[in-house]
């Protein structure tokens, strides 16, 4: 399986309720892509996972936090899936090409701390560093994903996320490149890269500062244009204990780019992330 990175830049675009960046299994937008040799497994699959994730409070925050990582992913043989990792949707493949469409949720962003509890921050990002910037409501998203996976050594994906509610928050685009560098009966190690871009509305919403926000927050006015806002990378290790139990570990990072990196709300241009999760598959 080739997973595409879902690092800190995607924290505010988590699917449904997952609080982490489950790099080896998903993304919110990044598709789960498998390259199979021989017969494929038939039937429906339910994956449950629990663990801990280290993530930034929002992209560019100077503060990190540890939070609970929860995963529920139900996949049917006919392509339907319902997942805290991928949303609610359907996917299929034609040869080495895969595609999917789903409904998901983009987190709200707040301008005050949520308490920094282990289970804090479900469904939201942000904190006191954004005091005076106001709240950005969450959005229902339409996700369209396509990928080309000619071998287990190479996978390329593109995901478009478009808000169906609060459409003024803008669209985002994610281009992923992944490679499984080692694979055995129990172990799989993959390396993943991704580029993240947004339209003008997206960039203004998450990295801009309006005149009104400047007056209440003290940040200087900032009006970024559409373009790439980050690149991210990860190394993922999947260890299969037996037919049902597994452990997934991921270490990664993100670098903010251009006008996003120049935003007055950004305190760090380089942001680390990490996750470890125990999974059980039925």
């Amino acid at each position: 399986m080739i997973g595409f990175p879902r690092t800190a830049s995607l924290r505010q675009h988590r699917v449904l309720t997952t609080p982490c960046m489950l790099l080896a299994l998903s993304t919110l937008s990044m598709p789960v892509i498998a390259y199979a040799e021989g017969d494929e497994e038939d039937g429906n699959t339910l994956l449950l996972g629990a663990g801990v994730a280290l993530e930034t409070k929002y992209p560019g925050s100077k503060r990190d936090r540890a939070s609970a990582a929860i995963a529920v992913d139900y996949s049917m043989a006919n392509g339907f899936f319902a997942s805290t990792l991928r949303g609610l949707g359907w996917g299929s493949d034609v040869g080495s090409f895969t595609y999917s469409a789903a409904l998901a949720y983009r987190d709200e962003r707040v301008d005050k701390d949520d308490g920094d509890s282990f289970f804090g921050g479900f469904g939201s990002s942000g904190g006191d560093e954004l005091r005076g910037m106001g709240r950005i409501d969450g959005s229902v998203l339409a996700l369209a994903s396509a990928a080309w996976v000619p071998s287990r050594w190479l996978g390329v994906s593109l995901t478009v996320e478009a808000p169906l509610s609060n459409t003024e928050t803008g669209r985002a685009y994610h281009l992923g490149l992944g490679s499984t560098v080692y694979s055995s009966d129990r172990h799989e190690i993959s390396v993943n890269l991704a580029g993240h871009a947004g339209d003008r509305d997206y960039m203004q919403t998450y990295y801009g500062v309006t005149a009104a926000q400047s007056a209440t927050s003290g940040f200087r006015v900032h009006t970024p244009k559409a373009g790439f806002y980050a690149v991210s990378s990860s190394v993922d290790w999947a260890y299969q204990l037996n037919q049902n139990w597994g452990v997934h570990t991921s270490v990664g990072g993100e670098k903010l780019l251009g006008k996003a990196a120049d935003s007055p709300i950004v305190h760090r241009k380089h942001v680390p992330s990490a996750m470890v999760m125990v999974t059980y598959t039925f």
Side-chain angles (χ1 to χ4, degrees):
M1 178 180 292
I2 297 175
F4 293 91
R6 176 196 168 96
T7 54
S9 66
L10 293 178
R11 185 184 187 281
Q12 62 201 32
H13 321 301
R14 295 187 297 220
V15 179
L16 303 179
T17 59
T18 181
C20 70
M21 301 73 63
L22 191 50
L23 309 180
L25 293 178
S26 85
T27 86
L28 178 157
S29 39
M30 295 300 184
V32 173
I33 299 173
Y35 175 80
E37 294 178 343
D39 296 334
E40 296 183 354
E41 293 185 2
D42 296 324
N44 305 334
T45 301
L46 173 63
L47 178 145
L48 302 177
V52 61
L54 174 69
E55 54 187 350
T56 185
K57 293 182 72 68
Y58 70 89
S61 172
K62 60 186 175 183
R63 299 171 60 189
D64 297 316
R65 69 175 170 192
S67 60
I70 307 297
V72 179
D73 188 281
Y74 180 64
S75 299
M76 298 183 66
N78 62 10
F80 172 81
F81 56 84
S83 171
T84 59
L85 306 173
R86 297 180 287 159
L88 179 66
W90 179 85
S92 187
D93 63 86
V94 178
S96 58
F97 291 91
T98 69
Y99 53 90
S100 67
L103 293 176
Y105 183 73
R106 178 188 289 170
D107 285 353
E108 69 174 358
R109 193 185 76 182
V110 297
D111 64 352
K112 60 181 179 179
D113 282 347
D114 53 30
D116 285 332
S117 67
F118 186 64
F119 291 97
F122 268 64
S124 68
S125 63
D128 285 345
E129 295 167 88
L130 297 174
R131 183 73 69 178
M133 288 292 291
R135 172 181 169 179
I136 301 172
D137 291 332
S139 304
V140 177
L141 294 176
L143 300 179
S145 300
W148 177 55
V149 190
S151 74
R152 69 170 62 251
W153 310 110
L154 175 65
V156 181
S157 74
L158 174 65
T159 296
V160 178
E161 59 175 80
L164 300 179
S165 62
N166 301 313
T167 56
E168 70 280 0
T169 57
R171 298 184 179 186
Y173 310 87
H174 311 285
L175 179 64
L177 176 67
S179 177
T180 299
V181 297
Y182 176 77
S183 181
S184 67
D185 290 341
R186 292 184 178 269
H187 300 271
E188 184 172 277
I189 299 174
S190 61
V191 177
N192 305 289
L193 300 172
H196 313 283
D199 64 14
R200 182 185 294 270
D201 288 338
Y202 181 91
M203 297 294 287
Q204 182 63 46
T205 299
Y206 293 103
Y207 297 100
V209 180
T210 65
Q213 289 173 322
S214 177
T216 55
S217 68
F219 293 119
R220 60 178 169 82
V221 174
H222 186 62
T223 309
K225 297 180 180 180
F228 279 92
Y229 62 85
V231 292
S232 60
S233 61
S234 71
V235 177
D236 308 326
W237 172 38
Y239 175 48
Q240 200 65 31
L241 297 169
N242 54 40
Q243 183 177 357
N244 302 107
W245 289 97
V247 180
H248 297 265
T249 304
S250 189
V251 178
E254 172 191 73
K255 176 179 171 58
L256 294 176
L257 303 173
K259 292 297 184 180
D262 293 338
S263 172
I265 69 171
V266 170
H267 302 285
R268 288 188 299 176
K269 297 180 181 180
H270 298 84
V271 180
S273 64
M275 183 278 302
V276 61
M277 177 174 284
V278 177
T279 63
Y280 187 87
T281 304
F282 295 88

